[in-house]
Amino acid sequence: MSRFQLHQEALPHLPVPPLQQTLDRYLLALQPIISEEELNHTQELVAEFRKPGGVGERLQKGLERRAKKTENWLSDWWLKTAYLEYRLPVVVHSSPGVVLPKQDFLDRQGQLRFAAKLIEGILDFKTMIDNETLPVEYLGGKPLCMNQYYQILSSCRIPGPKRDSIVNYAKGKKQSRHITVVHNFQFFELDVYNSDGSPLTTDQLFIQLEKIWNTSLQTNKEPIGILTTNHRNSWAKAYNNLLKDKTNKESVRTIEKSICTVCLDAPMPRVSEDIYKSRVAAQMLHGGGSRWNSGNRWFDKTLQFIIAEDGSCGLVYEHAPSEGPPIVALLDHIVEYTKKPELVRSPMIPLPMPKKLRFNITPEIKNDIEKAKQNLNIMVEDLDVKVMVFHQFGKTFPKSEKISPDAFIQLALQLAYYRMYGHVCATYESASLRMFRLGRTDTIRSTSVESLKFVQSMDSPDKSKADLLRRATQAHRQYTDMAIRGNAIDRHLLGLKLQAIEDLVSMPELFMDTAYAVAMHFNLSTSQVPAKTDCVMCFGPVVPDGYGICYNPMDEHINFAISAFNSCADTNAARMAHYLEKALLDMRILLQSTPKSKL
């Protein structure tokens, strides 16, 4: 048994929470977001569902049996329902982007030198994965599942007509030895190891990248990568069509097998300093459209690092194999690595020319590309994304008040939303289940009875609002602790629903109820992705009339990325950013003007 396997074997299995507990907590979670009338109706459905010997107990037993015979009762189901069977494009709707701090180079030379150093950093991290020397992470003293780290390199998503799949070339005899480099919509296979198995140095990589650059100067090529931005069913058809040709098939397989992709982007239009980061966020999420860099990607690839001539850089990743934190840990490692001085000047053995990947474009494929371009440009026009750096304070302030920074930020989001719309909404915050073997995420429902009481009191003369603020943050902290221990409600309810489908029994009324639909319609989809690097992750909304909000709390400032759709008249990212900033400041003033109570 390898070191990694031993670690994994020792991790506990994800529990199936007690049925009655989940049903009680479900009703509690519904209280702030639905009317009393709807709640009464749902209470009847819950009472029916939870009867001794009833449908709930039958499904619960099915789940418990499944948990006994699998490594994780949820992980396969979740991968399929949340990712592989999801048919909307991965661009905007699924794949998160990360905006890195602007680099200080301003020309091609600097861009390629930085790219070379970055690739060397990736390979340095890959060595830790391959040798299984990656330090185990802990949360609250408990070791975490490290499996996601082993899924992010040398992997790729493959489109299918009803369900996609993932291929992984990290293990086994035929390990990937190359990365894919894209420049001016042209793909190259770049070997990153010498014949003796040692990784290429920055100097060697730089020379190879220059060769790639100089053989892809013309921009008249068909942007084949744009096909990966389409609706999954359309892309699956186009994919099968594309692979009928032997040359195309070889080229696509080379991309799929590569360790990762490095995109050398053309410069984007210059913008003013204050909107620069928002523009880069859009560039990371979708490339800016078919006129700009969207064709300079293969969006099915798990990891794509993006480096533009003007110093903007970051990455986009395909979400199915991993959550944000492992991606950010890899990023932190690479960023630290790029700061190191170069130790050795490598002997200049002539290296083979990187191989350009050829594609034969039939009229049918050209037509597929045109359709993908049109659909993508509509998506690009529709995405409203704003990066806000909140400079007034960072996580040091809530900590000084003995409040969890995450709970403080989540409550500020609740307040901002309430002030904008006059009501609260179902809110999703991802919680890590990595305390368990193959754990992914569950949902922290940030909208609670306590958070509603607080936001309603905030703009009234109520004397107890500082108390209500503290109570709401404590309720959030409790829900978080419950979630990371496998006791939240969302994945359990999903499991019961999927169990009903698997057992071929009729769908329980509970899941056909409007309240269930309201509870699952997350107008606020949020995630805290902390990093050592001063970066921010971003993703699209999960509903047409919602927001996608990601944040990285640093000591003295907080990075936020807020997204919405322009096609929805009721949502606006800049307006949300404005209300969020005000909420954070008002909450600080409230705490500072109130003596600490003995709560």
Side-chain angles (χ1 to χ4, degrees):
M1 286 259 274
S2 73
R3 199 184 139 179
F4 167 62
Q5 283 168 318
L6 281 169
H7 164 74
Q8 292 295 108
E9 291 282 319
L11 293 168
H13 287 251
L14 179 69
V16 178
L19 181 65
Q20 304 301 341
Q21 169 186 292
T22 290
L23 295 174
D24 289 340
R25 286 175 179 170
Y26 174 51
L27 289 171
L28 208 54
L30 288 175
Q31 223 174 303
I33 56 174
I34 62 173
S35 70
E36 209 165 330
E37 202 181 346
E38 288 177 300
L39 190 62
N40 291 335
H41 176 64
T42 304
Q43 276 167 332
E44 288 168 24
L45 297 183
V46 166
E48 183 56 37
F49 188 78
R50 67 171 9 152
K51 276 184 183 160
V55 64
E57 280 190 4
R58 270 214 318 279
L59 297 174
Q60 176 75 359
K61 288 216 166 62
L63 274 189
E64 286 163 355
R65 275 197 301 276
R66 182 183 168 91
K68 278 205 175 68
K69 50 175 213 271
T70 54
E71 239 191 311
N72 183 313
W73 64 264
L74 175 65
S75 55
D76 280 354
W77 267 350
W78 181 247
L79 185 64
K80 283 174 190 154
T81 50
Y83 300 115
L84 303 181
E85 288 171 0
Y86 188 65
R87 300 286 83 195
L88 287 179
V90 292
V91 182
V92 173
H93 298 287
S94 173
S95 298
V98 178
V99 178
L100 277 171
K102 190 179 202 297
Q103 299 302 313
D104 52 11
F105 57 80
L106 289 163
D107 58 359
R108 179 194 62 152
Q109 202 75 0
Q111 178 189 17
L112 298 186
R113 178 131 311 270
F114 179 75
K117 194 88 186 160
L118 179 123
I119 295 163
E120 203 180 10
I122 298 165
L123 298 177
D124 188 61
F125 194 84
K126 185 178 185 293
T127 305
M128 292 199 290
I129 293 175
D130 294 344
N131 300 343
E132 302 191 355
T133 54
L134 205 58
V136 168
E137 288 166 24
Y138 289 83
L139 183 64
K142 298 267 195 343
L144 298 182
C145 173
M146 298 297 283
N147 178 60
Q148 290 174 34
Y149 285 100
Y150 295 82
Q151 310 305 322
I152 53 185
L153 295 175
S154 317
S155 58
C156 196
R157 183 160 166 165
I158 312 281
K162 288 196 179 64
R163 179 199 291 164
D164 294 358
S165 53
I166 298 172
V167 286
N168 187 317
Y169 294 94
K171 306 170 210 36
K173 303 280 173 284
K174 279 266 196 272
Q175 272 198 9
S176 320
R177 296 176 52 86
H178 69 278
I179 64 168
T180 307
V181 179
V182 211
H183 177 238
N184 280 336
F185 309 156
Q186 294 155 74
F187 290 78
F188 290 81
E189 174 182 359
L190 171 57
D191 260 313
V192 288
Y193 292 97
N194 288 302
S195 46
D196 66 356
S198 62
L200 263 55
T201 61
T202 300
D203 289 340
Q204 291 176 306
L205 289 162
F206 176 74
I207 287 170
Q208 295 299 74
L209 290 172
E210 276 215 297
K211 290 180 193 167
I212 287 172
W213 182 282
N214 291 326
T215 50
S216 53
L217 294 170
Q218 70 286 34
T219 53
N220 58 357
K221 293 287 186 266
E222 281 296 332
I224 194 85
I226 215 125
L227 292 171
T228 64
T229 68
N230 220 342
H231 186 281
R232 302 309 292 175
N233 293 351
S234 317
W235 168 218
K237 282 199 191 94
Y239 180 87
N240 287 333
N241 199 0
L242 182 67
L243 265 63
K244 283 177 190 156
D245 175 283
K246 191 165 155 285
T247 306
N248 295 350
K249 190 173 184 168
E250 270 176 32
S251 295
V252 169
R253 289 288 180 258
T254 301
I255 296 170
E256 289 168 353
K257 286 180 183 171
S258 63
I259 294 164
C260 64
T261 301
V262 171
C263 312
L264 302 171
D265 273 16
M268 297 276 287
R270 303 266 315 246
V271 292
S272 65
E273 201 52 45
D274 56 330
I275 65 162
Y276 170 75
K277 278 194 160 138
S278 303
R279 199 224 66 201
V280 179
Q283 185 182 351
M284 297 308 138
L285 281 169
H286 54 56
S290 63
R291 290 188 46 211
W292 302 103
N293 290 294
S294 300
N296 222 40
R297 308 276 184 276
W298 191 267
F299 282 103
D300 286 4
K301 196 73 194 137
T302 307
L303 267 181
Q304 301 195 88
F305 294 88
I306 299 158
I307 304 156
E309 234 175 303
D310 60 3
S312 49
C313 60
L315 64 84
V316 61
Y317 77 96
E318 200 288 299
H319 209 329
S322 171
E323 258 64 66
I327 304 288
V328 165
L330 163 69
L331 205 50
D332 280 340
H333 181 89
I334 294 164
V335 170
E336 276 312 299
Y337 192 90
T338 54
K339 292 175 186 162
K340 280 189 193 159
E342 281 160 53
L343 302 168
V344 287
R345 304 298 296 174
S346 34
M348 280 308 157
I349 348 154
L351 292 161
M353 181 72 201
K355 183 176 165 218
K356 186 181 228 171
L357 303 181
R358 302 280 169 193
F359 286 96
N360 294 320
I361 311 284
T362 62
E364 202 177 351
I365 293 167
K366 189 163 169 40
N367 187 33
D368 287 334
I369 290 173
E370 284 314 308
K371 282 195 290 216
K373 273 188 192 174
Q374 286 166 5
N375 292 338
L376 171 81
N377 290 337
I378 292 167
M379 250 189 331
V380 165
E381 284 307 305
D382 194 21
L383 186 74
D384 172 21
V385 61
K386 168 111 181 106
V387 172
M388 166 179 104
V389 181
F390 178 78
H391 280 297
Q392 281 81 350
F393 59 86
K395 60 185 176 198
T396 316
F397 170 68
K399 280 182 174 173
S400 73
E401 290 284 339
K402 304 217 172 0
I403 291 174
S404 140
D406 184 59
F408 189 87
I409 294 167
Q410 283 290 329
L411 199 54
L413 283 168
Q414 289 296 315
L415 180 56
Y417 193 92
Y418 182 75
R419 282 169 165 178
M420 283 172 85
Y421 298 101
H423 59 86
V424 294
C425 66
T427 304
Y428 182 112
E429 181 188 1
S430 44
S432 172
L433 289 178
R434 283 176 57 206
M435 260 182 208
F436 305 100
R437 205 183 305 180
L438 302 184
R440 294 290 301 254
T441 59
D442 207 328
T443 309
I444 299 165
R445 287 187 170 265
S446 303
T447 309
S448 62
V449 173
E450 292 85 354
S451 75
L452 179 60
K453 275 192 187 139
F454 164 68
V455 300
Q456 285 172 335
S457 79
M458 187 61 183
D459 298 317
S460 73
D462 194 328
K463 291 277 182 290
S464 61
K465 46 193 168 185
D467 240 10
L468 294 173
L469 185 158
R470 289 185 179 278
R471 276 174 208 213
T473 55
Q474 281 164 345
H476 186 272
R477 189 63 247 169
Q478 278 165 342
Y479 202 118
T480 303
D481 289 341
M482 184 175 97
I484 62 178
R485 288 182 169 73
N487 271 308
I489 63 173
D490 279 68
R491 301 299 179 266
H492 187 199
L493 290 170
L494 175 73
L496 293 164
K497 185 179 166 181
L498 293 174
Q499 189 65 45
I501 294 170
E502 198 156 284
D503 293 347
L504 300 172
V505 296
S506 64
M507 187 52 71
E509 287 282 325
L510 186 66
F511 300 118
M512 309 298 276
D513 180 24
T514 30
Y516 186 74
V518 171
M520 296 304 160
H521 187 93
F522 294 106
N523 291 92
L524 284 175
S525 170
T526 72
S527 187
Q528 168 179 252
V529 183
K532 293 193 192 83
T533 310
D534 194 11
C535 63
V536 65
M537 191 170 271
C538 45
F539 47 77
V542 295
V543 293
D545 57 343
Y547 293 94
I549 303 180
C550 196
Y551 51 96
N552 174 13
M554 310 293 283
D555 287 337
E556 301 307 329
H557 68 277
I558 309 168
N559 296 329
F560 287 97
I562 302 169
S563 67
F565 291 120
N566 289 317
S567 52
C568 175
D570 297 333
T571 56
N572 181 299
R575 194 164 164 254
M576 170 56 85
H578 169 78
Y579 274 83
L580 179 55
E581 188 161 5
K582 186 164 172 6
L584 287 161
L585 291 170
D586 288 352
M587 282 166 62
R588 175 169 73 171
I589 292 166
L590 174 63
L591 287 172
Q592 286 177 335
S593 64
T594 316
K596 289 199 181 84
S597 75
K598 295 279 174 285
L599 197 84

